[in-house]
Structure formats: structure tokens, C-alpha cells
């Protein structure tokens, strides 16, 4: 009985140590996140899994796993605080609903953001875009949709693909809006299918709410184009970094 009791105690210690190590690793280093919506198409599809660097922007109460930090008091700054760069794909806590979100950082504190007829304007300058091309894609969870895909280059030089689904969409005209201090302005790459900082139900995101920077896609689902040649294949994403 004493030997069995000793072995059980050792197992408990081992499991407790592993749990503490997991908490520490997912707090200060990396975590994983599953994409729940189409707001970041074409770079991210529903069901994709991404690694998230917790250390990229420093740490706040939202860096803790299992929602452990939600009951902690709010703070205006982060430990080892860094702001995202324009173009970063970041995971954060929705400032109103508390949901975990993933979007692209478009505006930093003091930036003037405007959208006119779907064209993004930052600090009174329209961002550079390529000529759009039309494609048919498989929409989640089923069906098809036409999309215009083009590339957009932000002021810092970061280039990424964007989808436009329809003219005169509800969020195709916005601002001008000055990003307040201590906040980041986020937008989805699927511009007509993204409730982001242009939407009054979300608005800018406090720096405290950032969880980390999405680094790469480590898992993807099946491709609809493999059994339906009439739709365009998704962008190649597996093990592809989300940042230059």
C-alpha cells in the first residue's frame, strides 16, 4: 500500500508540474487559435488553426489562458508593451462582447482612418492596390460567392490580399475617424463580411485587449476545389507565415 501511495503521489506531482508548465508556456510564449468565421478570407479560412505569439505585444490580464484574467482589474498598459505594426494579424478580446477575435491591424493611435466606396484611406492617402480579378469561391458553410481579389499595400509597406464581395456594402463608407490613444483599429481582409472597427458594435480595440500576434497556419481543412473544379482553390496557407 505504501508503494502504491508513493506512486500515486509521484503521478500527481508529475501532472501538476506538467499543468504548471503548460500554463506558463501558453501565457508567455505561444498558444493556438481556431478560425471561427470568414472575416479573414482569403488568408484564413474557417477551421484553420494558427499559432499565436503571446510575447509579441507584451502581456496583460488577457494573456492568461482559460480566461483566468477576466476577473482581474483593467489596466491602461501592458507589461513589456509593444503596439502592433500596420499589417499584423492579431488575436484580441472584443471590447464589448468579450469574444476572442482575429483581424488585421490597420490603424495605430493618432491615425486618421477613412473608407470611401470600399477604398481604404490612411492619413488622407489612399493605400496602393492592384487591379482586382474576379473569382468564384466556396463560401462557408455551403454555397458559392463571387469575389474580387486584389492586393493592398499599407503605408509601412506591408502587402496583403483583400476580398470585395459587393459594391455599396454597409461598411464601404466610414469616417474619417481618428484612432484614440491606447487603441488599435482593426479590419478583416474579407471587407464586406467582417464586423470590425468600422462597426459601431466593436470600434477600436484597447491595447490591453490584445492576446498576441498570429504567426502561421499550422493546420487547414479539406479544399472544396478538390471535388468541384468550378470554384477557385483557397490561397496556399499551410505553414505559411502571416507576416513578412
Amino acid at each position: 500500500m505504501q508503494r502504491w501511495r508513493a506512486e500515486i503521489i509521484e503521478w500527481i506531482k508529475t501532472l501538476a508540474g506538467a499543468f504548471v508548465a503548460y500554463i506558463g508556456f501558453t501565457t508567455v510564449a505561444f498558444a493556438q487559435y481556431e478560425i471561427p468565421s470568414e472575416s479573414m478570407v482569403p488568408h484564413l479560412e474557417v477551421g484553420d488553426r494558427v499559432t499565436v505569439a503571446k510575447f509579441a505585444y507584451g502581456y496583460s490580464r488577457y494573456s492568461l489562458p482559460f480566461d483566468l484574467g477576466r476577473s482581474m482589474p483593467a489596466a491602461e498598459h501592458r507589461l513589456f508593451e509593444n503596439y502592433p505594426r500596420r499589417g499584423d494579424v492579431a488575436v484580441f478580446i472584443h471590447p464589448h462582447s468579450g469574444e476572442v477575435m482575429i483581424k488585421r491591424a490597420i490603424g495605430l493611435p493618432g491615425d486618421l482612418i477613412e473608407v470611401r466606396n470600399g477604398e481604404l484611406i490612411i492619413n488622407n492617402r489612399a493605400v496602393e492596390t492592384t487591379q482586382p480579378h474576379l473569382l468564384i469561391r466556396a463560401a462557408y458553410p455551403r454555397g458559392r460567392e463571387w469575389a474580387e481579389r486584389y492586393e493592398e499595400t499599407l503605408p509601412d509597406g506591408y502587402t496583403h490580399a483583400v476580398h470585395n464581395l459587393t459594391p455599396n456594402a454597409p461598411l464601404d463608407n466610414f469616417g474619417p475617424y481618428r484612432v484614440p490613444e491606447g487603441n488599435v483599429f482593426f479590419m478583416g481582409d474579407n471587407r464586406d463580411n467582417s464586423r470590425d472597427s468600422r462597426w459601431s458594435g466593436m470600434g477600436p480595440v484597447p491595447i490591453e485587449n490584445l492576446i498576441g500576434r498570429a504567426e502561421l497556419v499550422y493546420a487547414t481543412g479539406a479544399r472544396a476545389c478538390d471535388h468541384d473544379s468550378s470554384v477557385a482553390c483557397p490561397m496556399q496557407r499551410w505553414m505559411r507565415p502571416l507576416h513578412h
Side-chain angles (χ1 to χ4, degrees):
M1 287 297 295
Q2 289 181 344
R3 188 179 69 181
W4 277 103
R5 187 180 299 112
E7 288 187 5
I8 291 173
I9 291 173
E10 286 302 314
W11 270 108
I12 292 173
K13 289 180 178 179
T14 299
L15 292 174
F19 180 73
V20 170
Y22 173 81
I23 292 292
F25 184 81
T26 56
T27 297
V28 304
F30 292 96
Q32 64 85 31
Y33 179 68
E34 183 176 358
I35 306 303
S37 73
E38 295 207 311
S39 69
M40 286 299 292
V41 168
H43 288 281
L44 297 171
E45 301 277 343
V46 174
D48 286 355
R49 289 185 173 271
V50 299
T51 57
V52 178
K54 290 288 194 74
F55 51 83
Y57 309 130
Y59 305 101
S60 75
R61 58 187 177 129
Y62 294 116
S63 300
L64 294 170
F66 307 122
D67 293 333
L68 294 176
R70 289 182 185 262
S71 60
M72 297 174 65
E76 294 183 0
H77 296 283
R78 306 171 67 85
L79 180 65
F80 308 125
E81 181 175 282
N82 283 308
Y83 274 82
R85 295 175 298 178
R86 295 187 193 91
D88 279 5
V89 178
V91 176
F92 57 90
I93 297 295
H94 192 292
H96 302 301
S97 70
E99 298 172 273
V100 179
M101 309 290 288
I102 183 167
K103 306 284 184 187
R104 190 178 300 277
I106 297 295
L108 302 177
D111 282 346
L112 189 66
I113 306 297
E114 186 174 1
V115 181
R116 285 291 166 259
N117 299 318
E119 181 181 46
L120 176 61
I121 303 167
I122 301 178
N123 296 327
N124 297 315
R125 296 188 63 178
V127 301
E128 298 180 12
T129 60
T130 59
Q131 189 69 25
H133 65 275
L134 195 62
L135 55 85
I136 302 177
R137 63 175 300 273
Y140 179 85
R142 60 183 63 85
R144 303 179 182 186
E145 64 184 10
W146 288 94
E148 284 186 337
R149 180 182 297 175
Y150 58 91
E151 290 193 338
E152 184 177 81
T153 301
L154 299 176
D156 294 336
Y158 188 87
T159 299
H160 62 280
V162 173
H163 270 196
N164 179 50
L165 303 180
T166 179
N168 303 316
L171 297 177
D172 274 353
N173 289 281
F174 169 85
Y177 175 80
R178 183 78 63 182
V179 183
E181 288 298 319
N183 288 262
V184 181
F185 192 95
F186 285 99
M187 293 176 66
D189 294 339
N190 197 3
R191 292 288 162 79
D192 296 335
N193 191 9
S194 175
R195 290 188 170 183
D196 46 44
S197 291
R198 297 170 292 171
W199 178 48
S200 61
M202 178 174 144
V205 177
I207 184 69
E208 182 196 30
N209 288 40
L210 302 186
I211 295 175
R213 183 178 63 207
E215 296 294 332
L216 58 79
V217 180
Y218 71 87
T220 61
R223 304 187 311 169
C225 63
D226 290 339
H227 55 79
D228 184 355
S229 59
S230 66
V231 297
C233 285
M235 289 179 60
Q236 194 281 327
R237 306 178 315 289
W238 184 69
M239 298 304 290
R240 179 177 179 176
L242 292 168
H243 306 278
H244 295 318

